[in-house]
Amino acid sequence: MAVLVTGGAGYIGSHTAVALHEAGRDVVVIDNFANSSRKATDAVRALTADSVVVVEADLLDGEALAEVFADHDIDEVIHFAAHKAVGESVQKPLDYYRNNLGSTIGLVDAMVGAGVSRLVFSSSCTVYGQPDEIPVVETAPTGAESPYGWTKYMSEQILRDAAAALDLDVVSLRYFNPVGAHESGTLGEDPNGIPNNLVPVVMQVAVGRLEKLMVFGDDYDTPDGTAIRDYIHVVDLAEGHVAALDALANGLAGCTAINLGTGVGSSVLEVIGAAADAVGAAIPYEIVDRRAGDIEQIYARTEYAAEVLGWRSERDLAAMMRDHWNWQRKNPNGFH
Ligand code: NAD
Ligand code: WQD
């Protein structure tokens, strides 16, 4: 039997494919390489004794998807495939709804057709917006601020309804801010164009691709005035997916939303400091205005993941920066 990993050539999916192999599972990746490179799946295969099967197909292609289920003995699915750029989603909302909701609906159809019932879905802490209480707990109110965020909110709802009607068992994992890379330095994040997220920008400054970092606001109501997030090592996140599949295999039923974070909040200046320590050089930066749409602070309550999945993150901010820098230093231009 095998796990189908949609979007398995992407940043989180590629690390998860490796973690699944290490946990003894057979893996089939499906990806259309819209936001990833063949070199990522080559790196995954190199780390997994060439055992991971890679199928190039679009999840919106129902026939291709049915074929994947027919050709492989799949009994579990992890659904990473999605467009994920918040700003782009505001410019191209229909592309985001079509791709992110269409792929989720098509995937559930194909699972039902093939008699597969266990699904782990990539959701996001973006569904919390700025929570009233932090650390944020899974029962906090949810909503969205962007078309991208709505696709996560709506996908969770679609999966709740599908789980109830179609006898599926689903875990929606609400990721906080994934950073870091595989410790080998052969697998990591490779954003297209100028990155939007903090750590990829910091690392591109460190490697000389960007001149300096713009820090978006130092007038927040936080100890150093910069915004606070819950950064989580991508390998911890990957291991959280293995734990979620194990929980489903062991009888976790219905539809369950679970935070995957560390429970630790770090400010932008703390991240810059940790990155400078890992790199061994200062990261030049300039304070500029707040970025529109940013929240002040969020970090996860992690007790529910520990209780339901038996999973907690293990790697701290220093390890995240060490591994992200190791990847960036060895691959200054990513997979290109
Ligand atoms: P990514 O872009 O690196 O990976 C997504 C992969 O899905 C890419 O390889 C892309 O080519 C593929 N894909 C997209 N649409 C597809 C389609 N229709 N058919 C086949 N393949 C398709 O993104 P990531 O950072 O690895 O994120 C994975 C998932 O986690 C996404 O659902 C994302 O929304 C979610 N998420 C990411 C973050 C983050 O900060 N990276 C945070 C919270 C949630
Ligand atoms: C982190 C902090 C920025 C870049 C986004 C998505 C969210 C989720 C994770 C998927 C913020 C500051 C950043 C820069 C900066 N993705 N920053 N200079 O905003 O928490 O969330 O990614 O679901 O949906 O919105 O992450 O890495 O963009 O920013 O000062 O050049 O770093 O203002 O405070 P964010 P981020």
Side-chain angles (χ1 to χ4, degrees):
M1 301 308 280
V3 190
L4 179 65
V5 180
T6 81
Y11 174 44
I12 306 169
S14 58
H15 288 83
T16 303
V18 173
L20 289 165
H21 169 78
E22 285 169 359
R25 281 175 161 87
D26 291 336
V27 177
V28 177
V29 162
I30 180 169
D31 203 298
N32 65 0
F33 297 98
N35 194 40
S36 49
S37 161
R38 276 269 172 200
K39 290 184 184 158
T41 46
D42 291 347
V44 168
R45 285 176 53 78
L47 290 167
T48 57
D50 287 341
S51 72
V52 170
V53 174
V54 180
V55 178
E56 180 168 358
D58 195 309
L59 281 184
L60 299 181
D61 179 346
E63 274 176 31
L65 197 50
E67 213 173 293
V68 171
F69 279 95
D71 289 352
H72 303 278
D73 242 349
I74 288 158
D75 65 344
E76 308 173 300
V77 179
I78 308 181
H79 180 33
F80 291 103
H83 295 332
K84 64 162 182 179
V86 175
E88 184 185 59
S89 80
V90 177
Q91 306 305 320
K92 300 178 178 173
L94 299 186
D95 286 358
Y96 272 67
Y97 289 116
R98 186 180 299 112
N99 192 60
N100 294 4
L101 301 183
S103 65
T104 302
I105 294 167
L107 181 64
V108 171
D109 263 341
M111 288 177 64
V112 171
V116 176
S117 65
R118 301 201 291 270
L119 173 65
V120 173
F121 172 67
S122 297
S123 190
S124 169
C125 69
T126 196
V127 299
Y128 296 121
Q130 174 62 68
D132 291 336
E133 283 178 35
I134 43 177
V136 64
V137 63
E138 286 83 351
T139 49
T142 54
E145 308 279 333
S146 67
Y148 166 75
W150 282 117
T151 69
K152 292 299 167 190
Y153 177 93
M154 291 178 190
S155 290
E156 282 198 12
Q157 184 60 42
I158 289 167
L159 294 174
R160 264 193 297 276
D161 294 341
L166 303 171
D167 219 15
L168 294 181
D169 298 313
V170 181
V171 174
S172 289
L173 294 175
R174 295 175 178 163
Y175 315 153
F176 283 67
N177 292 54
V179 300
H182 190 267
E183 62 174 4
S184 64
T186 63
L187 205 55
E189 185 169 17
D190 182 18
N192 275 332
I194 295 179
N196 299 310
N197 297 118
L198 177 63
V199 174
V201 175
V202 166
M203 293 299 167
Q204 290 199 9
V205 171
V207 85
R209 282 175 67 180
L210 295 172
E211 194 190 331
K212 63 181 169 186
L213 166 76
M214 303 297 175
V215 173
F216 298 136
D218 69 348
D219 57 352
Y220 286 107
D221 186 14
T222 60
D224 66 22
T226 63
I228 288 176
R229 299 287 185 273
D230 185 339
Y231 299 92
I232 175 167
H233 197 297
V234 66
V235 175
D236 275 327
L237 197 65
E239 291 169 358
H241 290 74
V242 178
L245 286 183
D246 286 345
L248 289 170
N250 290 329
L252 179 64
C255 193
T256 315
I258 304 177
N259 289 341
L260 289 190
T262 64
V264 176
S266 303
S267 73
V268 176
L269 293 182
E270 284 170 335
V271 170
I272 295 172
D277 289 346
V279 171
I283 309 290
Y285 67 87
E286 182 185 335
I287 309 282
V288 298
D289 286 347
R290 292 181 181 194
R291 182 171 66 178
D294 269 355
I295 60 167
E296 181 169 279
Q297 53 181 319
I298 188 168
Y299 47 94
R301 249 193 85 149
T302 58
E303 276 72 11
Y304 197 52
E307 182 192 322
V308 178
L309 306 181
W311 171 93
R312 275 186 195 282
S313 68
E314 290 171 358
R315 296 159 180 87
D316 64 8
L317 189 62
M320 297 176 213
M321 295 304 127
R322 178 198 66 208
D323 292 342
H324 208 122
W325 173 237
N326 183 42
W327 150 255
Q328 191 76 75
R329 163 177 83 76
K330 289 181 175 158
N331 307 272
N333 295 312
F335 288 115
H336 297 92

